[in-house]
Amino acid sequence: MNIPPDAPAAVFTSYGYANIGIPVNNLLPPSDPDLGLGAIEIVDDPLQDGKFKIPTLRNIEFSPPYSHNGKFPTLMDMVNFINDRSDYSPEVESNIDDRIDSIDLDESDINDITSFLKTLTDGY
Ligand code: HEM
């Protein structure tokens, strides 16, 4: 991961890319799998397939639906997915990041994290 040395931490991103196993959004027209970073011509590396930019969480409250294909309608849906993706099949199976899996949060934790994310809105 290339983090610029002067990158501000307050934007709540590590400036990296990862495949966290986002499933296909069936509300979108069918298409070939979206390889994300791996599909970029100058990258052209299967080890990057399925990786997407780790987005800033600033003002995240106001940008539903969530993930690159809008699979998750609400912030809580997204946090639930991060906690436990066992009910979903990833669109791209390769290169899934092992920092995301079975965090084992309970409902109260999910609520707390969702509330915390809403404090990242400018102006509070
Ligand atoms: C409790 C911990 C975490 C929380 C609360 C969290 C929260 C979120 C949220 C709300 C989004 C949706 C952003 C948007 O649609 O604009 C997101 C996307 C994403 N997160 Fe996290 N995240 C967490 C941990 C991680 C970790 C550890 C990684 C790195 C492995 C990661 C990588 C990503 C990536 C790559 C996306 C974009 C996925 C895509 O669009 O394909 N997240 N995260």
Side-chain angles (χ1 to χ4, degrees):
M1 212 179 308
N2 296 316
I3 302 176
D6 56 349
V11 292
F12 286 82
T13 171
S14 62
Y15 300 90
Y17 292 79
N19 181 3
I20 59 170
I22 300 290
V24 169
N25 183 351
N26 293 319
L27 298 175
L28 299 176
S31 68
D32 290 339
D34 187 344
L35 298 179
L37 184 60
I40 308 290
E41 205 171 321
I42 55 167
V43 173
D44 191 26
D45 174 1
L47 289 177
Q48 307 307 324
D49 286 355
K51 296 187 183 179
F52 288 83
K53 197 170 174 176
I54 298 173
T56 176
L57 296 177
R58 290 307 289 255
N59 298 310
I60 193 68
E61 173 181 13
F62 294 126
S63 58
Y66 297 101
S67 88
H68 66 274
N69 64 10
K71 170 70 183 171
F72 298 105
T74 71
L75 206 42
M76 198 172 284
D77 295 331
M78 184 74 207
V79 177
N80 269 311
F81 169 79
I82 288 167
N83 180 45
D84 180 7
R85 54 185 175 76
S86 59
D87 289 338
Y88 298 93
S89 303
E91 179 169 15
V92 179
E93 299 268 359
S94 47
N95 311 315
I96 297 205
D97 202 297
D98 57 14
R99 286 171 293 179
I100 294 273
D101 209 6
S102 304
I103 308 176
D104 206 18
L105 303 174
D106 63 23
E107 202 181 325
S108 159
D109 298 327
I110 302 276
N111 281 326
D112 288 351
I113 290 178
T114 305
S115 297
F116 167 72
L117 290 173
K118 291 180 182 174
T119 71
L120 303 180
T121 298
D122 293 344
Y124 284 139

